[in-house]
């Protein structure tokens, strides 16, 4: 359907790689708008008019602009309900699904940044994620219930978390515990994620040629 076609602002080896994987999982029609972050294209006026934050991912669909990765995931998974990657309203899994998507942006990423910068977080009473250890234990406890964040149900939340945990373990921001490694491998083994990774490798090779 024409009204489902989205424009996707993307750069390989960035947070938007997860969004590309989701688009592949959804079987979505999308127009790719490629940005080279290494030469600062995300800071040029043409892109700042799209996202003043100068960040990817961003999508444009049917007159609406969506930024912030969890919001992009929620929007896209709802846009393609036939893929069944988002429990619909009224489904008991809808609340947990939204919880884990939002937890990524509100707790996980801020904790990761503080850890990577070796910064002292705010006191737990005022810090949105409380403290790093509590944040990580909350996530690990959920992964141990597996195989996915919603139990047996694979969802868009797993695309987000599988790709995010892959890069955060590589950079030693998250310990590569067996339960985390198994979860990453389970998600990345999916054909759509492998397809997205291969497409991004081609883009990266072209950008660096």
């Amino acid at each position: 359907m024409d009204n489902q076609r989205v424009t996707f602002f993307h750069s390989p080896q960035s947070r938007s790689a997860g969004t590309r994987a989701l688009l592949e999982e959804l079987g979505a029609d999308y127009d790719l708008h490629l940005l080279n972050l290494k030469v600062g294209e995300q800071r040029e006026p043409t892109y700042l008019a799209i996202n003043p934050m100068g960040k990817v991912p961003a999508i444009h669909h049917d007159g609406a602009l969506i930024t912030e990765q969890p919001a992009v995931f929620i929007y896209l998974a709802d846009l393609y309900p036939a893929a069944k990657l988002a429990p619909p309203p009224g489904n008991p899994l809808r609340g947990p699904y939204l919880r884990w998507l939002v937890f990524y942006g509100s707790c996980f990423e801020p904790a990761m940044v503080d850890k990577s910068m070796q910064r002292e977080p705010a006191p737990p009473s005022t810090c949105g994620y409380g403290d790093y250890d509590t944040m990580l234990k909350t996530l690990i406890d959920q992964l141990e219930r597996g195989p996915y964040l919603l139990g047996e149900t694979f969802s868009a939340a797993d695309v987000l978390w599988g790709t995010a945990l892959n890069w955060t373990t590589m950079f030693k921001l998250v310990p590569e515990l067996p339960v985390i490694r198994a979860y990453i491998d389970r998600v990345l083994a999916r054909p759509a994620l492998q397809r997205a990774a291969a497409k991004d490798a081609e883009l990266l090779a072209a950008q660096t040629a």
Side-chain angles (χ1 to χ4, degrees):
M1 296 175 62
D2 289 342
N3 68 342
Q4 283 193 309
R5 195 168 186 88
V6 302
T7 299
F8 170 43
F9 299 89
H10 171 56
S11 180
Q13 289 190 321
S14 75
R15 287 173 177 82
S16 64
T19 299
R20 181 161 215 187
L22 177 62
L23 287 164
E24 293 292 329
E25 277 281 356
L26 294 169
D29 291 325
Y30 62 95
D31 297 315
L32 182 66
H33 188 107
L34 187 62
L35 296 166
N36 190 331
L37 304 189
K38 292 183 179 178
V39 299
E41 289 180 352
Q42 76 279 17
R43 299 295 177 185
E44 293 179 357
T46 50
Y47 186 65
L48 292 178
I50 299 294
N51 184 1
M53 298 291 289
K55 298 285 188 178
V56 290
I59 60 170
H60 191 270
H61 169 254
D62 198 23
L65 173 68
I66 303 94
T67 66
E68 312 317 314
Q69 186 149 254
V72 170
F73 269 63
I74 292 168
Y75 189 94
L76 286 174
D78 284 348
L79 183 63
Y80 293 90
K84 297 182 179 179
L85 291 184
N91 186 305
L93 292 177
R94 180 70 177 185
Y97 164 75
L98 293 175
R99 172 199 177 191
W100 288 109
L101 284 171
V102 174
F103 186 87
Y104 171 82
S106 63
C107 295
F108 181 78
E109 278 238 357
M112 291 301 98
V113 172
D114 282 345
K115 182 176 178 62
S116 67
M117 300 297 292
Q118 299 182 338
R119 295 192 304 222
E120 286 294 325
S125 60
T126 58
C127 182
Y129 64 81
D131 62 80
Y132 175 88
D133 290 339
T134 300
M135 178 283 298
L136 188 61
K137 184 179 185 303
T138 301
L139 174 62
I140 291 170
D141 287 349
Q142 188 69 17
L143 294 180
E144 286 177 341
R145 298 185 180 101
Y148 300 111
L149 286 168
L150 303 182
E152 296 294 331
T153 300
F154 179 83
S155 73
D158 295 300
V159 180
L160 176 60
W161 280 98
T163 53
L165 288 171
N166 186 46
W167 68 263
T168 52
T169 52
M170 283 193 294
F171 286 100
K172 310 300 182 185
L173 299 175
V174 171
E176 198 168 337
L177 302 175
V179 65
I180 293 177
R181 183 71 257 168
Y183 175 75
I184 294 169
D185 292 344
R186 196 176 301 124
V187 174
L188 296 190
R190 294 179 65 86
L193 274 89
Q194 294 185 357
R195 189 164 60 245
K199 290 181 177 181
D200 266 7
E202 291 179 4
L203 287 178
L204 187 63
Q207 280 188 341
T208 56

